[in-house]
Every structure is written in structure tokens, then in C-alpha cells.
Amino acid sequence: MLTRRTFLHSAAGAACLAARAQSTDARIEILPSEPIGRIAPEIYSHFVEHLGGVVYDGIWVGENSAVPNVGGIRKSLVDALARSKPGAIRWPGGCYADQYDWRDGIGSRAQRPRRTNFWVDSPEWPKNARRDGPQAYEPNQMGTVEFVRFCRLASAQPYIAANLRSLPAQEFWRWIEYCNSPAGSTTLAARRAADGDPQPLNVRFWGVGNESWGCGGNFTPEEYATEFRRYTAWVPGYGARLSFVGSGPNGGDLNWTRGFFDKAGASLNSMWGFALHHYSWNASGGRTTDWMAGKRDALRFDAEQYYEILREANLMESLITSHWGVMGEVDRRHRVKLVVDEWGAWYAPGTEPFPEALLGQQSTMRDAVLTGLTLDTFQRHADKVAMANAAQLVNCLHSLFFAHEDKFCVTPTYHVFAMYAAHQGAQSIRTMISAPQVGYNRNGQPATLPGLAGSASLEGKRLVLTVTNLSLDQSREAEIAVRGTAIQSAKAVVLAAADVHAHNSFDAPNAVEPKEQAVSPRGSLLVHRFPPASVTKIEIATA
Ligand code: AHR
């Protein structure tokens, strides 16, 4: 039986569906007087690992490339990313973080060493992929200053995941010193200046290892708690507020959370966030829990596989509440927040945008619905989730972009991020959605999912409601009311397609695009029809 943990160890080891109209049978009631918490812009964060085509050639093309670039960084990518208002970008892994030596990525780029990237051994490489390039042998051209410049170009905050498995704690502190010590203060500040950045990079977010239950060292939670304490004790802040993120559980592993929190004791005071990872991968309908056998194709899927991936994504809600409950047994005032720093769909190999894009997969309207469903879940728990990072940004799992040589396109997932950016910084408010469930056949047994799911936020008089219709084949008309407030005007943006398998590609980059739609208030209500397998944003001006 192969699990994700053993898979990673081995690596480092339709339906074209016509909408059947329904009469109004759903109601959405938004309650401005019931705030949940401020929606952290960092919920809209991303993840970049030295893995397949993510960094080379997704982001880094080099200064001498014919591909338009800013100091070696792909221009089309940063321009589009900036428009979607990214919160933070996590780098350099993932599992690669616990192999990475930050000292390889500083100094003259011409002198930097070439190293083996452990992903070279992954069983998921496409057969026709070349295994001798930067995707397998890391040339260290995108090191720390290049990564932080990428973040600045995209107006995102850097989030660095440090190596806990194979570098000593002292190197963690020195990496912080390289990034944040004042100009002229230390040898490493001088090194940074020689690398082009005399002023501190002011990196606030630091991950202390990654998946320490697996590729990050196969620790027990108690062992990891001791390591976390050692790495984070008495680290100089250099005037910047340091926010340490501890390696949290794999999906529903409450034993990891309980074991860590019970043991961590006073070191919880130096923890800002606890990282949960959850991928939606098992589309087998419960037929297997094997990591390789349970995954299905990103493009060719039937109704059961469509719903099964959304079912996996919809587990996010219970993962958040269950881990939060366990954390609260020790951290009673909930000082430590949840950071979901890896989430998204993970399909079987076969739809890579180019062969060297290891773990690259296509992204359809199903992935757009998964994205909306997940972002809405985070927003409904804005009091608990302080950051979330979709895995991964480009040419990989659940990506926003595909980029290869001079070709570039955005995915349906990108459009959802751009639509939902309107929520950032606003107050999440309780929203009650009452709609018939959708039913499907799960390996011969009846199964259900919510018909509509969503969240709402309020800033001043501007209210934003986002909703996904999970049904493959039924549109759903809903009455929308804002309790205690009149609706003055509203406008909608809808992401939908006649076929849920619709996707963008280098040859058809605009096959899936959001469309604006007028919404007219009827008295104190809005009435809106949500198309099947769609994501909708409605911006409402209240009185
Ligand atoms: O995102 C791919 C891999 O999935 C990451 O390297 C690892 O952290 C996770 O298991």
C-alpha cells in the first residue's frame, strides 16, 4: 500500500452537461451583524518549490533569455500574478526545503554550485522527460535575493521555509541574518549588499521545516517539538517581526497536532502559525487508499470522479475545526493560528504542460470549483486561518499558470483567485446558505455534497458574496438577502463553461474566462441563477 508519505519517501527517496433550470429553491442570507474575523490577505498565498518546471522555466528564465523578463524573472508571470493580489509566496519547498542549503543560492550566480534535486528520483516523471536539466540538477540561479525580488515584483510577501532535516539550527539563524540584518552590520549583510540588496529584505514569515512527519525528517511530533524549540529559541529579530510557522499535520492526523502541542510547552510562544497540508487526490470513490492507485486523470473524468475530488476538498472544513479544537486544548487563547501552506488537487501523471514539468497537471472548471470551495472555507474560518498557500504556482499541481519557453497562459484557478481578491482585508460575516444537496453515485452507494457553498465579507458598505455551485448538471436559482440592510445595487462576475472539462492551454488561452453579469435587486432581495459547476462573485452596495 503506497501512501503520500511513502510516496514522498520513495521520491527522496460527462460529461458535457446541459443546465436544467430549477425554480428558486435556495436562499442565501448574509448577516452583517455577525462578524467572524478579518480575512487575512495571506489566505491568498502561493507556493513555489524547486520541483519540475515551477522555478525553471516557470519563473526563472535568466537575464539573457529571449523571453521577456525583469532581471531574469518571467515578466508575463509577475504581471498576471500581481493583478491577482497575492498575499505571500512560500519557497523553496515543500520537501525540497529540507534538502536546500541557502548558502548555495547567494553570491555570484556564475559561481553557484549545481546540486542534485532529490525530486530526480520521483516515480511521477513523464517517460519522455529529459532528466539532465535544471529541473533535476539545481543550478541555484534563483537564490534568496532573486526570490525576494520576484516577491517584490508581484507585490507579495516572502515566506521562506527553512531546512530543519539536514542543516543545523545555526544555519537557520544565519539565513535570517543574511536576509534581515541591518545594512553594514554583519559579514552576511555585506554579502547581501554585494548580491544587490544593501537594505534588509525584511523577511517576516519563516517555516521551521516542512512535513516533519515525512520527507522533513520522519520525526515523531514530540521529537519535532524539541527541534522546533531549538531552532526558534533566542533568534535575533533585527527589528523585523518574525513569524515562525511550525510543521503541522498531514490531513486529519490529530495525533501529530496533539503530540506536538502537548510537548511544545513554552516554545508555543514563539510560534505564529501551525501548518496543515491537505491535498484532494483520491478520486477512486473509496475503492482504494493507495497513493498512486487512488489518483485519476486531470482532464478525463466522469461524474463520480468530479464529485469525489470536491468531496476531498470539502473535508477542509472539518480539518480546520478538528485541528483547531485540539490546538485549543493547550493553547487556550488560540494565540497560534492555522496556516494551510499546501492545498489543492493532485491528479495522476499524464497532463503535464511539457515533459519536464514534474507533477504538472491540467486545470479545468472542476479545479476552479475546488478553488472557490476552498477559499470560501478559509473565509468562513477567518478567525482561525491566518495564511493559506495553493500548491503550486506554475507548471505543477493546482497551478494558476502554465509557462514554457515563450508560451504562457492562466488557468481557471487563476481567475478564481483574481475574483476572490475582493475579499482581502474585509470582515468575514456569517452567511447562511440553504440549498438542496447534490447527490451522486459513489461506487454503487448514494453520496451527497452541498448544493451551494460560499462566504461573504463586508468592508464599509461594500459586501462581497462568493458562491460555488457544485452540481454538474443543475443550475440553481437563489434568493439573496442581507439582513437589516437594503440592497442598492449589485453586479456579478461568473466563471462557468458549457463543459466542466473546459480548460485553458497555450493554444487556447482564453477558453475559460470570467464574464460580468447584471444582477437586479427585486425589492429587498437579489435573485440569481448559479450555473452548474460554476464560481460566482456578487458585489453588493448596501444602503
Ligand atoms: O507539493 C508537492 C509536495 O507535496 C511537497 O514538496 C510536499 O511538502 C508535499 O507532500
Side-chain angles (χ1 to χ4, degrees), residues 230-417:
R230 225 158 54 75
Y231 275 67
T232 57
W234 297 91
V235 181
Y238 305 101
R241 171 176 157 216
L242 296 182
S243 296
F244 294 128
V245 179
S247 174
N250 179 20
D253 183 4
L254 295 177
N255 289 335
W256 178 270
T257 302
R258 184 165 285 116
F260 176 84
F261 272 73
D262 282 350
K263 176 82 178 178
S267 65
L268 281 181
N269 292 331
S270 58
M271 181 178 274
W272 173 78
F274 188 60
L276 161 69
H277 288 184
H278 174 57
Y279 286 97
S280 305
W281 60 275
N282 193 340
S284 76
R287 293 169 181 87
T288 177
T289 54
D290 182 274
W291 174 248
M292 297 303 272
K295 286 184 272 159
R296 296 290 189 272
D297 198 84
L299 275 181
R300 290 168 295 273
F301 54 89
D302 59 19
E304 182 187 7
Q305 292 165 15
Y306 165 85
Y307 285 120
E308 281 293 286
I309 285 294
L310 296 185
R311 177 181 181 274
E312 294 252 300
N314 201 40
L315 294 175
M316 186 64 84
E317 180 118 42
S318 61
L319 291 175
I320 291 170
T321 52
S322 58
H323 287 292
W324 187 252
V326 172
M327 289 159 70
E329 290 168 11
V330 173
D331 181 22
R332 294 194 180 279
R333 289 184 298 118
H334 281 300
R335 226 194 41 76
V336 179
K337 304 296 181 204
L338 274 168
V339 169
V340 188
D341 62 15
E342 290 187 27
W343 67 268
W346 191 327
Y347 300 114
T351 62
E352 298 79 7
F354 55 99
E356 289 71 34
L358 174 64
L359 305 189
Q361 60 189 30
Q362 251 302 348
S363 171
T364 65
M365 266 311 297
R366 170 172 65 172
D367 299 288
V369 175
L370 187 156
T371 305
L373 184 66
T374 305
L375 292 173
D376 282 321
T377 304
F378 295 149
Q379 290 176 168
R380 290 196 301 274
H381 296 280
D383 53 332
K384 309 175 186 74
V385 182
M387 187 194 283
N389 308 65
Q392 302 193 11
L393 186 72
V394 50
N395 293 337
C396 197
L397 310 166
H398 210 83
S399 290
L400 279 75
F401 307 104
F402 296 128
H404 180 46
E405 297 169 347
D406 60 351
K407 300 187 277 288
F408 175 78
C409 71
V410 306
T411 67
T413 289
Y414 169 82
H415 289 306
V416 180
F417 268 86

Side-chain angles (χ1 to χ4, degrees), residues 137-190:
Y137 293 97
E138 164 65 58
N140 281 300
Q141 297 301 286
M142 194 171 96
T144 301
V145 294
E146 292 84 8
F147 167 66
V148 173
R149 271 177 221 152
F150 166 54
C151 292
R152 286 182 188 148
L153 288 169
S155 299
Q157 297 189 68
Y159 167 18
I160 292 183
N163 182 340
L164 177 121
R165 186 191 77 210
S166 55
L167 283 183
Q170 190 173 55
E171 288 308 325
F172 177 47
W173 311 332
R174 291 216 167 128
W175 199 358
I176 297 174
E177 183 174 301
Y178 173 81
C179 290
N180 291 355
S181 60
S185 65
T186 63
T187 302
L188 285 173

